[in-house]
Amino acid sequence: MSSPEIVASRNEQTNANIAHHQKDASMEKARLERIHKLSRPFWASFIIGAVSLLIFAAFLVNALDRQAITSSERVMGSILGERLDRLSELTLEYAYWDEAVDRLINKFDEDWIDTTFIEYIYSDLGIIGVHVLDGENADLLHIFEDYRADGSSMARYGPDALKLINRARRTKDNEAPIPSTGFLGSTSDLFLASAIQMATYDAEKITSTDHVMMFTRKMDQTGLADLGEKFQLPGLQVTTDAPTYFQAHWPIRTEDGTILANFVWNPVLPGQQLLAPLAIGLIIVYGGMMIAARAFLKQATQMVSALEKAKVRTERAKELLAHQANTDALTGLGNRWSFEQALDELSAQADGTKEFALACFDLDRFKTINDTMGHETGDEVLKFVGETLSSLTFSQDKVFRLGGDEFVIVFGLNDKGRVMTVTKEAIAILSQRITINGHSCQFGASAGIAYSTEPVNLLRRADTALYASKKKGRGQATVYIPDSTDTSAQRLPATETL
């Protein structure tokens, strides 16, 4: 082959190689473009899934925390409601009491005041302030902590105190007084308060006075700390600052509805506790969707478990508060509120023919024991009375302590023979001498028995019979016997002593 032919052949081979390389490069580029296009849906799905998972996790964490905050606020509301109800019950017991009216309004008995309020109310019941105001809202009695103080009793509580007093005066004359409750003071000196118009009552009528009694209980930092520890309300405090998004709060309102301050605390937030595990789970999601999904399911299970535990704690707190609201703290018997509920249940069963039975007991020399042996011995006597009455009753019977030394048995079956037997045995046992706290005590009891087809009449009739027993002498039981015209609560019917 000649030299020109050799050169031409080499040029053709070079051009062919260049074309082949260009074709391979074009094919590789097209392949890369196809792979890139095929991966787009995968990466889009991956990113959408990861973002959706992140949003869902944030929503779930927030929902758990908000539920925990709401549950904690419900617990706080129940606690405050129970505390105000208990304070109003105590105020009602002392203001709606013949002896209190006699020894405070009719005559100012300083010894009785010291024994009843300073030595007992403050030390045993935690009532820090006892105040009695006359019809002109002038102080008749001003006790703060454990001494009788000088100066205006309302000055320390702020302008809302007189508003609370005036609300208590709205009770109609000669009708059962209704307590008025609320918060008084300031963020640094906050009080629970209950005010009620003083009145007396007997079997025939209620007599109102123009005096108002007010009890106060202080909510200081020590009390708030104890409350927070008992009901799992960490960091409970009173503040005028607005709560943060992750804090629980309960508003403290004045008489006109203005928010004075807030109870604020930091509830346990299950969502916040799960933030770190969720972050790890999300990192795993970006490394591999399957691993992240499995980790998330595990964390979700823990979230549900935490929510269920929070719900169980809330229900237990509600049950505890309900039990405290219906039970006498000293004897463990049903209290007056529980007794009213029992009468409502009997009224629902009443058909106009079925007769119900009730026995009312009152101790004969209980005040003497309190005065001579001390209130601790008196409390033990009340416990002994409650245990004695409970031991004599059947399972269908119910025993209540209405307050002071007054007890009631509501019989499940109207067996008059058994009602009489239980009443006599109770009086016989309670009349015996016993030894309590190293003291030899003998007090005795009187009783009144009533029967009626209308449960609402039972306590009134039993009180009438009990009054007759007291009048005839100690250690007796009297049965209420209505006459043929007994249609009014104003009538005093005949009674029969056992």
Side-chain angles (χ1 to χ4, degrees):
M1 183 179 294
S2 63
S3 179
E5 292 175 346
I6 294 173
V7 172
S9 176
R10 289 178 178 176
N11 289 336
E12 290 177 1
Q13 184 65 36
T14 301
N15 292 333
N17 290 337
I18 291 174
H20 179 72
H21 286 304
Q22 290 178 342
K23 182 178 180 181
D24 288 343
S26 177
M27 292 177 62
E28 181 65 21
K29 183 177 180 182
R31 186 174 68 84
L32 290 175
E33 288 181 353
R34 287 197 300 269
I35 293 174
H36 183 66
K37 290 180 179 179
L38 290 173
S39 66
R40 285 178 183 174
F42 170 77
W43 287 110
S45 299
F46 183 85
I47 293 173
I48 292 173
V51 172
S52 299
L53 185 59
L54 180 62
I55 294 174
F56 174 74
F59 174 80
L60 185 59
V61 166
N62 182 72
L64 284 171
D65 291 344
R66 299 316 301 171
Q67 176 65 28
I69 291 172
T70 301
S71 298
S72 184
E73 289 173 344
R74 288 175 181 170
V75 170
M76 186 62 177
S78 299
I79 293 169
L80 294 176
E82 185 273 336
R83 295 295 170 92
L84 288 172
D85 288 344
R86 178 57 182 154
L87 186 60
S88 67
E89 288 176 3
L90 288 173
T91 315
L92 182 65
E93 288 180 7
Y94 283 85
Y96 195 25
W97 185 20
D98 298 0
E99 187 172 3
V101 172
D102 182 54
R103 293 179 182 268
L104 285 172
I105 300 176
N106 299 337
K107 58 183 178 182
F108 198 75
D109 190 334
E110 295 187 0
D111 292 337
W112 183 84
I113 291 171
D114 291 343
T115 300
T116 303
F117 295 111
I118 297 180
E119 297 179 10
Y120 179 64
I121 289 290
Y122 172 71
S123 60
D124 291 2
L125 300 181
I127 302 301
I128 197 170
V130 178
H131 312 281
V132 177
L133 290 81
D134 62 17
E136 301 298 325
N137 285 339
D139 287 314
L140 176 64
L141 178 64
H142 177 193
I143 297 175
F144 193 78
E145 293 184 337
D146 58 349
Y147 64 93
R148 276 185 274 168
D150 298 326
S152 172
S153 61
M154 297 299 103
R156 73 175 71 247
Y157 301 119
D160 282 330
L162 288 178
K163 295 179 182 178
L164 185 69
I165 293 292
N166 291 331
R167 179 152 62 94
R169 293 185 183 279
R170 296 175 187 173
T171 301
K172 295 182 179 179
D173 289 340
N174 301 327
E175 290 189 5
I178 301 174
S180 298
T181 59
F183 292 96
L184 299 179
S186 62
T187 55
S188 59
D189 213 16
L190 187 65
F191 299 87
L192 290 176
S194 174
I196 186 172
Q197 190 167 356
M198 298 182 70
T200 62
Y201 72 95
D202 54 31
E204 292 185 346
K205 64 178 181 178
I206 298 171
T207 303
S208 302
T209 71
D210 63 350
H211 287 60
V212 172
M213 177 179 287
M214 184 173 79
F215 284 178
T216 60
R217 178 173 285 160
K218 193 169 185 179
M219 299 196 73
D220 55 16
Q221 193 57 45
T222 301
L224 290 176
D226 292 341
L227 200 65
E229 181 177 357
K230 182 177 181 181
F231 293 98
Q232 298 184 358
L233 308 172
L236 180 62
Q237 61 177 319
V238 177
T239 178
T240 55
D241 297 334
T244 65
Y245 183 75
F246 292 107
Q247 284 184 317
H249 77 288
W250 191 269
I252 304 172
R253 299 183 182 275
T254 61
E255 278 294 298
D256 59 2
T258 303
I259 296 179
L260 173 67
N262 288 298
F263 290 109
V264 175
W265 63 98
N266 303 304
V268 176
L269 301 177
Q272 295 289 332
Q273 294 177 338
L274 293 173
L275 280 178
L278 282 176
I280 295 174
L282 291 175
I283 292 174
I284 296 174
V285 167
Y286 284 105
M289 185 66 76
M290 292 300 298
I291 297 175
R294 295 174 66 180
F296 174 76
L297 289 175
K298 181 179 178 181
Q299 301 306 323
T301 301
Q302 293 180 357
M303 293 178 190
V304 173
S305 177
L307 182 59
E308 289 298 324
K309 289 179 181 179
K311 182 178 179 181
V312 169
R313 288 197 298 267
T314 301
E315 293 300 325
R316 287 178 180 174
K318 288 182 179 179
E319 291 175 1
L320 176 61
L321 292 173
H323 176 74
Q324 292 176 345
N326 290 279
T327 304
D328 176 54
L330 179 63
T331 63
L333 302 175
N335 57 16
R336 180 174 287 274
W337 172 251
S338 179
F339 171 71
E340 296 292 343
Q341 289 180 316
L343 287 187
D344 291 341
E345 292 175 1
L346 292 182
S347 297
Q349 302 172 15
D351 57 6
T353 59
K354 181 179 180 181
E355 195 171 41
F356 302 92
L358 180 146
C360 184
F361 297 85
D362 189 87
L363 303 187
D364 290 332
R365 291 178 287 272
F366 180 68
K367 185 179 183 301
T368 302
I369 292 176
N370 267 341
D371 293 343
T372 59
M373 302 178 187
H375 288 284
E376 290 184 359
T377 301
D379 289 346
E380 292 301 320
V381 167
L382 294 176
K383 293 179 183 178
F384 172 76
V385 174
E387 293 170 357
T388 299
L389 297 181
S390 297
S391 67
L392 296 173
T393 56
F394 289 173
S395 59
Q396 64 267 30
D397 304 330
K398 295 181 180 179
V399 184
F400 304 89
R401 180 190 173 205
L402 302 188
D405 58 345
E406 184 179 4
F407 294 81
V408 164
I409 298 177
V410 176
F411 291 90
L413 299 175
N414 180 19
D415 183 345
K416 294 187 177 180
R418 190 174 73 83
V419 172
M420 302 248 181
T421 299
V422 170
T423 303
K424 289 180 179 179
E425 288 183 3
I427 291 176
I429 294 173
L430 298 179
S431 297
Q432 296 175 3
R433 184 175 294 276
I434 59 174
T435 300
I436 294 181
N437 282 353
H439 298 286
S440 179
C441 307
Q442 188 170 18
F443 43 90
S446 299
I449 300 173
Y451 304 95
S452 177
T453 57
E454 299 178 358
V456 71
N457 293 327
L458 286 173
L459 184 58
R460 175 182 61 82
R461 293 184 174 186
D463 276 339
T464 301
L466 176 61
Y467 176 77
S469 295
K470 289 284 190 181
K471 190 174 182 181
K472 294 173 184 178
R474 296 169 177 166
Q476 298 191 47
T478 301
V479 179
Y480 180 101
I481 304 176
D483 58 24
S484 60
T485 61
D486 182 22
T487 59
S488 170
Q490 302 299 323
R491 181 177 298 280
L492 285 176
T495 55
E496 179 183 7
T497 303
L498 299 179

